[in-house]
Short mmCIF file of all heavy atoms in Angstrom, two decimals:
data_model
loop_
_atom_site.label_atom_id
_atom_site.label_comp_id
_atom_site.label_asym_id
_atom_site.label_seq_id
_atom_site.Cartn_x
_atom_site.Cartn_y
_atom_site.Cartn_z
N ASP R 300 -10.22 -22.65 6.18
CA ASP R 300 -11.14 -21.71 6.82
C ASP R 300 -12.21 -22.45 7.62
O ASP R 300 -13.36 -22.07 7.63
CB ASP R 300 -11.79 -20.84 5.73
CG ASP R 300 -12.48 -19.63 6.32
OD1 ASP R 300 -12.14 -19.27 7.45
OD2 ASP R 300 -13.37 -19.09 5.65
N GLN R 301 -11.83 -23.56 8.22
CA GLN R 301 -12.84 -24.27 8.99
C GLN R 301 -12.19 -25.07 10.11
O GLN R 301 -11.00 -25.33 10.09
CB GLN R 301 -13.63 -25.20 8.08
CG GLN R 301 -12.74 -26.09 7.25
CD GLN R 301 -13.53 -26.69 6.11
OE1 GLN R 301 -14.74 -26.83 6.20
NE2 GLN R 301 -12.88 -27.07 5.06
N GLY R 302 -13.00 -25.45 11.04
CA GLY R 302 -12.51 -26.31 12.13
C GLY R 302 -12.03 -25.49 13.31
O GLY R 302 -11.38 -24.46 13.15
N MET R 303 -12.35 -25.97 14.50
CA MET R 303 -11.99 -25.25 15.72
C MET R 303 -10.49 -25.16 15.90
O MET R 303 -9.96 -24.14 16.34
CB MET R 303 -12.61 -25.94 16.94
CG MET R 303 -14.05 -25.49 17.14
SD MET R 303 -14.83 -26.32 18.49
CE MET R 303 -13.81 -25.90 19.86
N LEU R 304 -9.79 -26.24 15.54
CA LEU R 304 -8.34 -26.25 15.74
C LEU R 304 -7.69 -25.14 14.93
O LEU R 304 -6.87 -24.37 15.44
CB LEU R 304 -7.76 -27.61 15.35
CG LEU R 304 -6.23 -27.69 15.41
CD1 LEU R 304 -5.73 -27.48 16.84
CD2 LEU R 304 -5.74 -29.02 14.87
N TRP R 305 -8.11 -25.02 13.66
CA TRP R 305 -7.52 -23.99 12.81
C TRP R 305 -7.86 -22.60 13.30
O TRP R 305 -7.03 -21.70 13.27
CB TRP R 305 -7.97 -24.17 11.35
CG TRP R 305 -7.28 -25.31 10.70
CD1 TRP R 305 -7.82 -26.51 10.35
CD2 TRP R 305 -5.89 -25.39 10.38
NE1 TRP R 305 -6.87 -27.32 9.81
CE2 TRP R 305 -5.67 -26.66 9.81
CE3 TRP R 305 -4.82 -24.51 10.51
CZ2 TRP R 305 -4.41 -27.08 9.38
CZ3 TRP R 305 -3.58 -24.93 10.07
CH2 TRP R 305 -3.38 -26.20 9.52
N ARG R 306 -9.10 -22.46 13.74
CA ARG R 306 -9.49 -21.12 14.25
C ARG R 306 -8.67 -20.77 15.48
O ARG R 306 -8.22 -19.65 15.65
CB ARG R 306 -10.99 -21.09 14.55
CG ARG R 306 -11.83 -20.85 13.29
CD ARG R 306 -13.22 -20.35 13.62
NE ARG R 306 -14.03 -21.33 14.32
CZ ARG R 306 -14.71 -22.30 13.70
NH1 ARG R 306 -14.70 -22.39 12.39
NH2 ARG R 306 -15.43 -23.15 14.40
N ALA R 307 -8.44 -21.77 16.35
CA ALA R 307 -7.65 -21.52 17.55
C ALA R 307 -6.20 -21.17 17.17
O ALA R 307 -5.62 -20.22 17.70
CB ALA R 307 -7.66 -22.76 18.44
N LEU R 308 -5.66 -21.90 16.18
CA LEU R 308 -4.28 -21.63 15.76
C LEU R 308 -4.18 -20.23 15.15
O LEU R 308 -3.23 -19.49 15.40
CB LEU R 308 -3.82 -22.68 14.74
CG LEU R 308 -3.53 -24.07 15.31
CD1 LEU R 308 -3.31 -25.06 14.17
CD2 LEU R 308 -2.31 -24.03 16.22
N ALA R 309 -5.19 -19.89 14.33
CA ALA R 309 -5.16 -18.57 13.68
C ALA R 309 -5.21 -17.46 14.73
O ALA R 309 -4.58 -16.42 14.58
CB ALA R 309 -6.33 -18.43 12.70
N SER R 310 -5.96 -17.69 15.80
CA SER R 310 -6.09 -16.64 16.82
C SER R 310 -4.79 -16.48 17.62
O SER R 310 -4.61 -15.51 18.33
CB SER R 310 -7.26 -16.95 17.77
OG SER R 310 -6.91 -18.06 18.57
N MET R 311 -3.89 -17.45 17.50
CA MET R 311 -2.61 -17.35 18.22
C MET R 311 -1.49 -16.90 17.29
O MET R 311 -0.34 -17.27 17.47
CB MET R 311 -2.25 -18.71 18.83
CG MET R 311 -3.24 -19.17 19.87
SD MET R 311 -2.71 -20.65 20.72
CE MET R 311 -2.26 -21.76 19.45
N ALA R 312 -1.88 -16.13 16.28
CA ALA R 312 -0.91 -15.78 15.23
C ALA R 312 0.41 -15.27 15.80
O ALA R 312 1.48 -15.57 15.29
CB ALA R 312 -1.52 -14.74 14.30
N LYS R 313 0.33 -14.49 16.88
CA LYS R 313 1.57 -13.89 17.39
C LYS R 313 2.59 -14.95 17.80
O LYS R 313 3.80 -14.73 17.71
CB LYS R 313 1.25 -12.97 18.57
CG LYS R 313 2.47 -12.19 19.02
CD LYS R 313 2.18 -11.26 20.19
CE LYS R 313 3.50 -10.84 20.83
NZ LYS R 313 3.34 -10.02 22.00
N SER R 314 2.11 -16.10 18.23
CA SER R 314 3.05 -17.11 18.73
C SER R 314 3.83 -17.79 17.62
O SER R 314 4.85 -18.40 17.85
CB SER R 314 2.31 -18.15 19.58
OG SER R 314 1.45 -18.88 18.75
N TYR R 315 3.33 -17.69 16.38
CA TYR R 315 4.10 -18.32 15.30
C TYR R 315 4.54 -17.35 14.21
O TYR R 315 5.26 -17.71 13.30
CB TYR R 315 3.33 -19.50 14.69
CG TYR R 315 1.97 -19.17 14.12
CD1 TYR R 315 1.83 -18.55 12.91
CD2 TYR R 315 0.81 -19.51 14.84
CE1 TYR R 315 0.58 -18.27 12.39
CE2 TYR R 315 -0.44 -19.23 14.33
CZ TYR R 315 -0.55 -18.61 13.10
OH TYR R 315 -1.78 -18.33 12.61
N ALA R 316 4.09 -16.07 14.30
CA ALA R 316 4.49 -15.11 13.27
C ALA R 316 5.99 -14.85 13.32
O ALA R 316 6.64 -15.06 14.35
CB ALA R 316 3.73 -13.80 13.48
N MET R 317 6.53 -14.41 12.21
CA MET R 317 7.97 -14.11 12.17
C MET R 317 8.30 -12.96 13.11
O MET R 317 7.47 -12.08 13.35
CB MET R 317 8.37 -13.73 10.75
CG MET R 317 8.12 -14.82 9.75
SD MET R 317 8.73 -14.37 8.14
CE MET R 317 10.32 -15.16 8.18
N ILE R 318 9.53 -12.97 13.61
CA ILE R 318 9.93 -11.88 14.50
C ILE R 318 11.00 -11.01 13.82
O ILE R 318 11.83 -11.52 13.07
CB ILE R 318 10.47 -12.41 15.86
CG1 ILE R 318 11.58 -13.45 15.62
CG2 ILE R 318 9.37 -12.96 16.73
CD1 ILE R 318 12.34 -13.80 16.89
#
Side-chain angles (χ1 to χ4, degrees):
D300 194 21
Q301 51 196 335
M303 276 177 59
L304 175 63
W305 285 109
R306 278 200 294 276
L308 287 171
S310 70
M311 296 188 310
K313 187 180 164 183
S314 66
Y315 58 77
M317 299 185 96
I318 53 169

